[in-house]
């Protein structure tokens, strides 16, 4: 094993042997080269005042070389904030700004210990880093039966993990914390479980309330107390879009410092929150125990190693754009403005759906947040309906399994919502 990897492992093991045991083989072997090109170049950046001949970029007139046809459309930005490589763990100013925002948005993080957020190439990348560092073939990855399909590729196909599903809702339509707990406790023989929590949920648009949130934390704690090492990744992709009286913050904060066998990892980013889907700016943050800053630093190093080994560094222009947004005086107000638009759509969907005349065609799963809601069809097959809606009505939806049809109300302006559901209903009647 590379001595730098061995050193990181020793630090992690000394601080918390359970976290060491959570690492995958790749997680144990990865490191960020201390004396590699990036660190030598970073050192030269501060000290090489005469000639800096370290890195594979190009300079001209003291700034990064660039083409006028690109810069003329980006003239508000300094070339150094666009063309140079961003550091592998991300622009330091952006990391600081996101940390500040995260703590402000999540009061339960106050007084807790966690790492500096590391910039990822958006949330998918953050999840795949979790998979790389912690999932080995056969490890259990636990998430509900209603989920974002890409988890299957990220954890199952790419890392060979065993996917364990539990029903998202219980019989009362609340979050099924009992199902989660049973799924975790069922991993006793493996001694390890990776739990993915995604609220607001894709595809249902559900976020638990405070009581359900407490039960989720209890479920994870029960696993840890039973001797299972539990890695909990909170996928907070749709964070902040809480339209009703659900939890309005991530469960990450409540898990930090809870038990030595629990490693909380927050996956979040600008993608959906700041409506910059194509920018590819996300973050990964590790929860700590308040005592071992060196453990968090070692996990940051391992994460940066994975980034270096896969994408080397994230896109610099997007990081600059997001940083500028976060530090702009108008940011909060504009965010609120868009929140009201999204909430208006969600409310309108509820008003339209609380109409008995649809009740022979579908029920809908409880929703209170995010971009989506999901119909549970009673009489027709979801895929048949999806195709029919496309062909006859020019309406696009997502079929999930036999009965579920996901509707992204985020994409439908309020005046169109009644017609959308009327057409879906007509589509059902056409097929019946
Ligand atoms: C639950 C969930 N997590 C993560 C992502 C991926 O986000 P990103 O585009 O930032 O990779 C999505 C995107 O649809 C999602 O629905």
């Amino acid at each position: 094993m590379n001595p730098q990897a061995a050193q990181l492992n020793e630090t992690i093991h000394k601080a918390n042997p359970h976290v060491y045991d959570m690492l995958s083989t790749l997680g144990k072997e990865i490191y960020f080269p201390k004396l590699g090109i990036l660190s030598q170049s970073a050192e030269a950046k501060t000290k090489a005042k005469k000639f800096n001949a370290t890195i594979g970029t190009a300079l001209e007139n003291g700034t990064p070389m660039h083409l006028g046809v690109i810069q003329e459309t980006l003239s508000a930005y300094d070339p150094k904030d666009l063309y140079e490589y961003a550091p592998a763990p991300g622009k330091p100013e952006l990391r600081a700004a996101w940390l500040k925002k995260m703590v402000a948005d999540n009061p339960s993080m106050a007084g807790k210990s966690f790492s500096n957020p590391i910039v990822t190439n958006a949330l998918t990348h953050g999840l795949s880093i979790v998979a790389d560092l912690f999932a080995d073939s056969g490890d259990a990855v636990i998430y509900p039966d209603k989920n974002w399909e890409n988890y299957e590729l990220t954890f199952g196909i790419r890392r060979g993990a065993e996917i364990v599903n539990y029903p998202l809702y219980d019989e009362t339509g609340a979050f099924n914390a009992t199902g989660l707990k049973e799924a975790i406790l069922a991993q006793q023989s493996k001694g390890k479980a990776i739990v993915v929590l995604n609220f607001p949920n894709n595809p249902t648009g559900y976020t638990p309330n405070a009581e359900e949130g407490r039960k989720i934390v209890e479920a994870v704690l029960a696993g840890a107390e039973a001797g299972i090492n539990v890695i909990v990744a909170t996928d907070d992709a749709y964070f902040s879009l809480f339209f009703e009286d659900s939890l309005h913050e991530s469960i990450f904060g409540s898990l930090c410092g809870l038990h030595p066998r629990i490693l909380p990892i927050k996956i979040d980013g600008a993608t959906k929150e700041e409506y910059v889907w194509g920018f590819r700016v996300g973050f990964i943050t590790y929860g700590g125990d308040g005592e071992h800053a060196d453990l968090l630093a070692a996990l940051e190093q391992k994460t940066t190693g994975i980034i270096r080994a896969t994408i080397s560094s994230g896109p610099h222009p997007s990081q600059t754009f997001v940083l500028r947004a976060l530090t702009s005086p108008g940011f909060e107000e504009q965010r609120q403005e868009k929140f009201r638009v999204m909430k208006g759509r969600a409310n309108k969907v509820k008003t339209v759906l609380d109409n008995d005349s649809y009740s022979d065609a579908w029920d809908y799963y409880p929703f209170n947040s995010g971009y989506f809601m999901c119909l549970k069809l009673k009489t027709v097959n979801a895929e048949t309906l999806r195709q029919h809606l496309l062909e006859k009505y020019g309406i696009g939806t997502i079929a999930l399994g036999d009965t579920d049809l996901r509707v992204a109300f985020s994409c439908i302006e309020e005046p169109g919502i009644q017609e959308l559901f009327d057409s879906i209903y007509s589509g059902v009647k056409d097929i019946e």
Side-chain angles (χ1 to χ4, degrees), residues 121-125 127 148 151 198 200 202 235 237-238 271-272 277 280-281 372:
N121 198 20
L123 283 92
T124 308
H125 182 218
L127 290 160
W148 186 42
Y151 297 149
N198 165 228
N202 176 1
D235 174 348
Y238 299 92
T271 308
K272 318 271 181 179
W277 309 278
R280 315 312 295 151
V281 176
F372 310 110

Side-chain angles (χ1 to χ4, degrees), residues 160-231:
E162 182 203 328
I163 307 300
V164 178
N165 290 149
Y166 59 97
L168 173 68
Y169 299 105
D170 67 15
E171 55 293 342
T172 69
F175 180 82
N176 179 18
T178 310
L180 170 63
K181 184 170 165 180
E182 282 166 5
I184 296 172
L185 291 175
Q187 309 314 317
Q188 188 97 47
S189 62
K190 291 188 172 157
K192 174 179 178 184
I194 300 170
V195 173
V196 181
L197 298 174
N198 165 228
F199 308 122
N201 172 262
N202 176 1
T204 63
Y206 190 69
T207 298
N209 63 25
E211 177 56 19
E212 293 164 296
R214 270 191 292 279
K215 288 186 180 157
I216 292 172
V217 172
E218 277 169 28
V220 173
L221 187 58
E225 284 173 345
I228 301 166
N229 293 332
V230 195
I231 299 128

Side-chain angles (χ1 to χ4, degrees), residues 266-279:
K266 190 173 195 314
I267 306 294
D268 58 10
T271 308
K272 318 271 181 179
E273 275 190 57
E274 271 66 66
Y275 313 103
V276 290
W277 309 278
F279 279 21

Side-chain angles (χ1 to χ4, degrees), residues 289-318:
D289 58 8
E291 282 169 39
H292 294 102
D294 53 346
L295 171 69
L296 294 174
L299 290 173
E300 276 190 49
Q301 287 294 305
K302 294 223 172 241
T303 302
T304 310
I306 295 285
I307 291 172
R308 178 62 170 155
T310 49
I311 60 163
S312 192
S313 60
H316 196 161
S318 315

